Amino acid sequence: MNAGVLEIEPEAKGRQSGSIMHSKSLLLLARNELRAVVAAVLGGARYGVKVRLPHSFVMIFLFKGNLSLKDKLRKILKLVFEHARNLAAFAAIYKIVLGLMKLASQHLRYLDEGRPISSIQNSRSLNLSKLFVREAS
C-alpha cells in the first residue's frame, strides 16, 4: 500500500458500485413516477372537463330556466372546474401512493427479495385516493 493512497478491496468495490446503481435506478424510477403523476393530473382534469361540460350545459339549460345567461354560464364553469379538480386530485393521489409503493418495493427488492406491486397494493392506493378526495370535497 502506497502512502496516501487508499486501496479498496474488490468486495467493497462491488458493494459500492451496486449501491450507486441501486440509487440510480431508484432515481430513474422516481423520475418516471413523477412524470406519471403529472400525466395523471392532466389526464384527470381533461377527462373531468370532457365529461362534465356537456352534462352541465344540458342540465343547467333544461332545469335552471330562472337564471340569467351569465349566471348559467358561471354555474356551468363552476361545476366543470370542481369536477375536473376532483378527478385530477384523485388521479394524483392514486399515482403518488402507487409510486411510493413501487419505490418501496424496489428498495426492498434490493435489500431483501421484495415483491413487485401487487393487486393488493393497487387496491390500497385506490382506496386511499377515494378517502382523500372524499374528505377534501
Side-chain angles (χ1 to χ4, degrees):
M1 183 172 190
N2 297 339
V5 176
L6 177 64
E7 293 180 9
I8 300 176
E9 299 172 18
E11 247 180 58
K13 279 184 184 178
R15 276 183 291 179
Q16 186 181 16
S17 65
S19 66
I20 291 171
M21 292 301 290
H22 173 64
S23 63
K24 284 183 181 180
S25 68
L26 281 180
L27 286 174
L28 182 62
L29 181 61
R31 189 177 71 198
N32 290 341
E33 292 304 318
L34 185 61
R35 284 182 181 166
V37 169
V38 171
V41 167
L42 294 175
R46 188 179 316 122
Y47 186 74
V49 170
K50 180 180 157 183
V51 168
R52 188 61 182 217
L53 185 63
H55 179 264
S56 296
F57 188 80
V58 168
M59 298 308 277
I60 294 293
F61 277 95
L62 279 178
F63 297 111
K64 298 287 185 179
N66 58 345
L67 297 176
S68 68
L69 181 62
K70 185 178 179 180
D71 290 336
K72 287 179 183 179
L73 291 176
R74 187 175 289 144
K75 180 87 169 162
I76 290 170
L77 289 177
K78 180 183 177 235
L79 290 171
V80 168
F81 175 75
E82 182 180 314
H83 192 248
R85 184 190 65 207
N86 286 345
L87 282 178
F90 174 82
I93 292 168
Y94 171 75
K95 283 294 189 175
I96 288 170
V97 171
L98 194 61
L100 289 173
M101 282 193 244
K102 283 181 184 178
L103 283 169
S105 177
Q106 184 77 14
H107 186 66
L108 290 175
R109 184 179 300 133
Y110 175 75
L111 295 176
D112 185 35
E113 293 298 314
R115 288 173 279 161
I117 295 295
S118 66
S119 60
I120 293 172
Q121 290 170 324
N122 192 20
S123 65
R124 285 181 186 158
S125 59
L126 275 172
N127 290 334
L128 278 172
S129 301
K130 288 177 193 175
L131 176 71
F132 284 127
V133 170
R134 192 175 301 140
E135 291 296 323
S137 296

